[in-house]
Amino acid sequence: MAVKKLIVGNWKMNLDAVGARDLATRLSEMTDDSLREVAEVVVCPTFVHLPMVSQVLLASTIKLGAQNCAPRGLSALTGEVASQQLEEFGCAYVLLGHSERRALLGESSATVAEKVRHIQDHTRLTPVVCVGESLDVREQGGEKAFVKAQLMDSLPEGVDHTRLVVAYEPFWAIGTGKTASLDDIAAMHGFLADLLPEVTLLYGGSVKVDNAADILKTNHVDGVLVGGASLDADAFERIIRAA
Ligand code: PGA
């Protein structure tokens, strides 16, 4: 439903400080005003690189996102980062419920919903809620029911659909080089668009230079969430220009 495509680079726990600075510098040099017309571009470095990357991107049109956030504001919660601390460094977006956090760190949909609630009630950040089925579920044909249930459990009651991004990322396609077929993407995105007509819908999972244009042209795909390919400035720029 968005007019401009939303292209989000998820740097995950990759890159040391020099690597993150170099990548941000390359991106800030490459992206020009013409890109502003076609896409909203966001990069999500690790928490510790946010202050430095925000400085490097100061004069660029690229926006900043975080990869996670605590479900409450400034308080005693060891090892977590508060939404206010993200906003101080210029974050506009925050990824929530990425499948790596769900599968490897046990993050539940109920926790994701708490985070969405906190972010929408107390900050100006836009939450990007990630959902997606496993290969088992897809092979049994249960992907729509699974994704619908996971999404509903990950959204708090009364969620503001106009300030919400949902990223459909089939778990088996993340970092594997496998992408869902364009038909499968269209079917899931059509289903999600019927469910949540006002929400911006991203596809993620092995988005690369050679498949980005087709994916971005698919009905109800408002943008992409890019992992591995966003670590390469040239590849990421070509994906942006495919929008
Ligand atoms: P990938 O990661 O592009 O490396 O598959 C996508 C993601 O996890 O968001």
Side-chain angles (χ1 to χ4, degrees):
M1 60 137 280
V3 181
K4 270 201 292 188
K5 298 291 185 186
L6 175 60
I7 313 288
V8 183
N10 176 10
W11 295 358
K12 308 192 179 184
M13 201 172 66
N14 294 293
L15 302 171
D16 59 13
V18 173
R21 180 187 298 277
D22 285 353
L23 180 55
T25 306
R26 293 279 312 282
L27 291 174
S28 68
E29 288 164 358
M30 277 177 183
T31 49
D32 54 47
D33 276 353
S34 65
L35 283 178
R36 202 201 294 256
E37 311 292 318
V38 291
E40 164 126 325
V41 182
V42 181
V43 293
C44 305
T46 59
F47 289 135
V48 289
H49 292 156
L50 284 171
M52 179 262 290
V53 173
S54 81
Q55 280 301 308
V56 176
L57 295 180
L58 218 48
S60 113
T61 58
I62 298 176
K63 297 201 170 152
L64 207 56
Q67 298 175 17
N68 183 33
C69 176
R72 41 182 151 120
L74 300 176
S75 54
L77 193 57
T78 304
E80 289 291 317
V81 176
S83 53
Q84 185 177 328
Q85 294 162 334
L86 300 178
E87 289 193 292
E88 272 173 352
F89 285 104
C91 284
Y93 291 85
V94 58
L95 304 180
L96 295 177
H98 188 279
S99 63
E100 285 152 10
R101 296 193 56 79
R102 291 178 186 269
L104 304 173
L105 301 171
E107 183 156 298
S108 68
S109 293
T111 301
V112 177
E114 245 186 279
K115 293 178 178 185
V116 175
R117 154 100 316 133
H118 166 75
I119 283 161
Q120 286 202 337
D121 286 355
H122 299 285
T123 80
R124 295 219 204 98
L125 296 162
T126 299
V128 179
V129 175
C130 305
V131 291
E133 80 287 357
S134 66
L135 192 54
D136 273 3
V137 169
R138 176 158 286 268
E139 281 174 352
Q140 285 160 27
E143 67 276 5
K144 283 185 182 151
F146 179 91
V147 167
K148 180 178 177 184
Q150 192 183 45
L151 185 55
M152 293 307 133
D153 290 346
S154 301
L155 299 179
E157 228 184 314
V159 63
D160 177 359
H161 290 188
T162 62
R163 192 157 65 91
L164 175 68
V165 177
V166 169
Y168 168 57
E169 299 202 295
F171 188 43
W172 48 273
I174 293 177
T176 58
K178 294 181 194 155
T179 33
S181 70
L182 295 176
D183 284 349
D184 288 344
I185 296 173
M188 183 62 80
H189 278 244
F191 175 69
L192 291 173
D194 283 346
L195 213 56
L196 305 169
E198 291 173 304
V199 171
T200 299
L201 295 174
L202 307 184
Y203 171 79
S206 296
V207 174
K208 306 284 178 211
V209 172
D210 53 3
N211 60 22
D214 286 338
I215 292 172
L216 284 161
K217 267 190 233 119
T218 302
N219 258 349
H220 302 298
V221 172
D222 301 312
V224 285
L225 178 53
V226 187
S230 73
L231 299 172
D232 175 332
D234 290 328
F236 194 54
E237 189 188 17
R238 288 172 66 192
I239 290 170
I240 297 165
R241 292 197 185 277

